[in-house]
């Protein structure tokens, strides 16, 4: 393995639940030096980075202005975990980092396959990245891995494919209002349906982009991507929620099942399903991820337990840092970069010394 | 997707069981023009390529000399599926192709992670490839995907890893003498053990390279790679073999179980196991592939049925062609190239028009 002497200098931007864990992973890596940290929360601003990750002070305080931090620290890369906002809002931070010449790896799920979802914005980000000799990737678990990148990787052994069906059943009982409220958890079924029909409930919004990524990844031309199902799962009994969010009571919506399909000649060729439910087992839903590729050969893969959304997301983002650092300038997707992997020990092992 | 106008011009070298299927996949792809074919078998030499794949004559006959075919056709790439020989012998063909400036994708399992297994030869191949502006990859199902590339990809969601255990149980009853004889299938257990102890039986010879690839892929420094187990599976009853090879009788060796481990401080951190058995279910062995990554988080993935060795190998090799064509010059491994995937429809969709 190639090694380079100097650690990679990284700024962590966004220090919420996700960003704190990224900061911890970065701090623990001897191949990384955290040179700055940025957040918008007044309670976090001014805190020492070391204290945030449970250690002693390291003399780096969380600042409130990304641009000043970039100017002062000139980092090699930025880990971006700002609030789970729409792509449009988060892209401003991406652009700020790129204009400072920093590579970016971000958990921005709305911008993980942006050439299809935000083509104008994507071309702009790509242009700015190239101009500043920087590269950028948005990734995570889902979108980013479980129902897209892993699906594509499994097709590597296929000579022909008739249909792909991938699904994921996740227990949402650990989550708080930020996740549960937009999904209509705890509503009466009528109210849930009314709000769904009004376009008022957020299900898994990145399915269209994920289906497009799979199709592009394997060379499939889709006619359209359509929502096939978005239905409530109603509880028959009391179901506890681990957060401050109210428990689900009998007769209330405990979650949803949602399916999108990519169509070829009207047939669903790539179908993705998420069941996001408080205690899915109580509804007879088996937890886990399942990817079935029907064709020559048939390939069906299941996980023993579902990929845990939080930990796998922050790990996937930080693990992608070396591939992003080594990449040619520009806006990248998981289809463009080398095989994703863990980056154990010292990240310098993965860094190309010529970049 | 980027498209280029002209199909990629490919020579198929090696037209045995595997090569014939590669030839079929290449012929069926409108983005590929098969411009030549080479084999050593007198019964195959002179046959029309179209007839071999079950179609009409296309005016291209199988020739016996690779160098002349390369000179006459100047292909963009060569698909290499010459006999399953040692790396040393097959590398001669790789070098011939590279010297003609052709990219190469090969099913040569002995050279799939060669920087570790054949460092001098690997550097030579890399040098010749770079000098001739060509790139080369050896891949397949196992080695190449099931117990190495897929394992590495699954670690993308891991922040720490304590141990990786991957195993594969495959029914060897379809195979003929070429596969079964070197495994000692049908021997008396004593004889099998004697020959194993004499180093006379070939198990799954690429385990050390696969373990090294996984370790390098995730940043793990191994002390050593050792064989932990190589034992016969003895049949209690008659077990039919589908080929001309004699059926297994009660009391004879019906296959083997073999385990290698990569050690850190004496502990097995990457463990790979293959059970290759005629009718493994009769021995109580469940067929399939299983990858368990213990750490944060735990990830365990199983296949519903084992990846079928033949079809998945020829598909993996042909599917890799666009990534190899697009790559910078040099000797590549699956760790260097973009995410592997199927290449459905027209391979030109995947080809970088600037290369």
């Amino acid at each position: 393995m190639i090694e380079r002497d100097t650690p990679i200098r990284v700024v962590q931007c966004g220090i919420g639940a996700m960003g704190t864990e990224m900061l911890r992973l970065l701090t623990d890596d001897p191949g990384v030096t955290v040179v700055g940290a940025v957040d918008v929360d007044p309670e976090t601003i001014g805190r020492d980075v070391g204290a945030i990750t449970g250690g002693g002070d390291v003399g780096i305080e969380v600042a409130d202005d990304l641009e000043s931090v970039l100017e002062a620290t000139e980092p090699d890369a930025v880990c971006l975990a700002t609030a789970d906002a729409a792509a449009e809002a988060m892209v401003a931070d991406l652009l700020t980092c790129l204009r400072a010449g920093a590579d970016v790896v971000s958990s921005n799920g709305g911008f993980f396959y942006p050439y299809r979802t935000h083509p104008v914005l994507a071309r702009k980000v790509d242009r700015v990245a190239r101009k500043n000799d920087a590269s950028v990737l948005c990734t995570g678990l889902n979108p980013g891995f479980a129902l897209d990148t892993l699906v594509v990787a499994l097709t590597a052994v296929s000579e022909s494919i008739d249909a792909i069906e991938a699904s994921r059943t996740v227990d949402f009982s650990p989550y708080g209002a930020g996740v549960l409220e937009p999904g209509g958890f705890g509503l009466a079924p009528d109210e849930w349906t009314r709000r769904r029909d009004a376009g008022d409930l957020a299900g898994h919004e990145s399915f269209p982009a994920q289906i497009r990524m799979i199709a592009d990844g394997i060379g499939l031309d889709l006619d359209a991507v359509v929502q096939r199902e978005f239905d409530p799962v109603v509880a028959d009994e009391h179901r506890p929620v681990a957060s401050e969010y109210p428990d689900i009571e009998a007769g209330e919506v405990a979650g949803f099942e949602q399916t999108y399909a990519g169509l070829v000649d009207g047939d669903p060729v790539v179908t993705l399903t998420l069941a996001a439910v408080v205690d899915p087992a109580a509804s007879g839903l088996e937890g886990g991820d399942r990817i079935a590729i029907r064709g020559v050969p048939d390939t069906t893969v299941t996980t023993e337990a579902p990929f845990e959304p939080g930990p796998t997301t922050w790990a996937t983002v930080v693990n992608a840092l070396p591939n992003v650092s080594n990449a040619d300038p520009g806006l990248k997707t998981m289809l463009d970069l080398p095989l994703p992997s863990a980056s154990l020990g010292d990240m310098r092992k993965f860094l190309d010394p010529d970049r």
Side-chain angles (χ1 to χ4, degrees), chain A:
Chain A
M1 278 182 264
I2 299 160
E3 293 222 20
R4 71 174 206 180
D5 291 340
T6 51
I8 181 170
R9 302 173 70 258
V10 180
V11 163
Q12 175 65 40
C13 178
I15 309 187
M18 194 75 76
T20 299
E21 302 290 345
M22 291 180 188
L23 190 58
R24 176 179 56 81
L25 293 182
L26 293 168
T27 304
D28 285 351
D29 191 317
V32 174
T33 304
V34 175
V35 295
V38 182
D39 201 63
V40 291
D41 182 352
E43 307 229 329
T44 306
I45 295 164
R47 289 189 65 198
D48 189 277
V49 158
I52 289 172
T53 59
D57 283 5
V58 296
I60 296 173
E61 285 180 2
V62 178
D64 65 346
D65 184 60
L66 177 59
E67 214 163 335
S68 321
V69 169
L70 294 173
E71 206 176 319
T73 60
E74 297 184 352
D76 298 313
V78 178
C79 260
L80 205 58
T82 40
D84 193 20
E88 286 76 0
M90 289 203 51
V91 163
D93 288 338
L94 292 185
L95 289 171
T96 301
C97 298
L98 294 171
R99 288 196 175 107
D103 297 323
V104 185
V105 56
S106 164
S107 58
N108 180 351
F111 208 60
F112 96 102
Y113 199 62
Y115 289 106
R116 287 288 192 177
T117 54
H118 304 82
V120 175
L121 215 46
R123 283 195 298 273
K124 180 174 180 182
V125 170
D126 185 56
R127 204 164 52 234
V128 172
R130 287 171 194 266
K131 195 173 162 189
N132 292 281
D133 195 21
S135 49
V136 45
L137 172 77
C138 298
T139 189
L141 189 270
N142 189 33
F145 189 77
L147 290 187
D148 41 58
T149 298
L150 181 55
V151 176
V152 171
L154 285 168
T155 69
V157 303
S158 300
E159 68 166 71
S160 67
I161 294 173
D162 298 322
I164 295 175
E165 286 166 18
S167 62
R168 179 167 161 74
T169 298
V170 189
D171 186 358
F172 266 38
S173 57
Y175 288 104
V179 170
L180 298 184
E181 209 172 85
F185 286 72
L187 292 180
D190 285 0
E191 173 68 1
W192 193 97
T193 310
R194 195 192 59 72
R195 288 186 52 191
R196 175 200 64 191
D197 294 344
D200 218 23
L201 287 178
H204 187 69
E205 297 177 284
S206 55
F207 270 147
Q210 293 175 280
I211 289 172
R212 290 291 180 184
M213 173 180 153
I214 292 169
D216 289 350
I218 67 178
L220 199 64
D221 294 317
L222 298 176
D223 308 328
V225 176
V226 296
Q227 180 170 285
R228 307 271 284 195
E229 184 195 354
F230 184 26
D231 292 319
V233 173
V234 180
D236 286 334
E237 69 295 287
H238 175 92
R239 296 189 192 180
V241 172
S243 74
E244 82 298 340
Y245 199 78
D247 288 356
I248 308 298
E249 305 301 339
E252 291 178 352
V253 171
F256 60 82
E257 287 187 284
Q258 188 176 30
T259 299
Y260 271 82
L263 308 179
V264 177
D265 297 333
D267 292 324
V269 176
V270 181
T271 305
L272 301 183
T273 296
L274 175 70
V277 180
V278 170
D279 195 356
S283 295
L285 297 164
E286 208 181 322
D289 293 68
R290 183 172 190 274
I291 298 169
I293 300 168
R294 286 191 288 110
V296 180
D298 283 326
T299 301
T300 300
V301 159
T302 51
T303 60
E304 216 165 78
F307 292 108
E308 216 183 313
T312 53
T313 295
W314 63 70
T316 302
V317 172
V318 174
N319 282 334
L321 187 47
N323 277 345
V324 175
S325 296
N326 293 339
D328 292 334
L331 170 61
K332 305 297 174 187
T333 76
M334 293 294 274
L335 296 182
D336 304 314
L337 294 179
L339 196 69
S341 71
S343 56
L344 306 178
D346 187 320
M347 203 175 276
R348 282 174 289 189
K349 290 181 213 164
F350 296 94
L351 294 172
D352 183 344
D354 298 332
R355 289 209 65 88

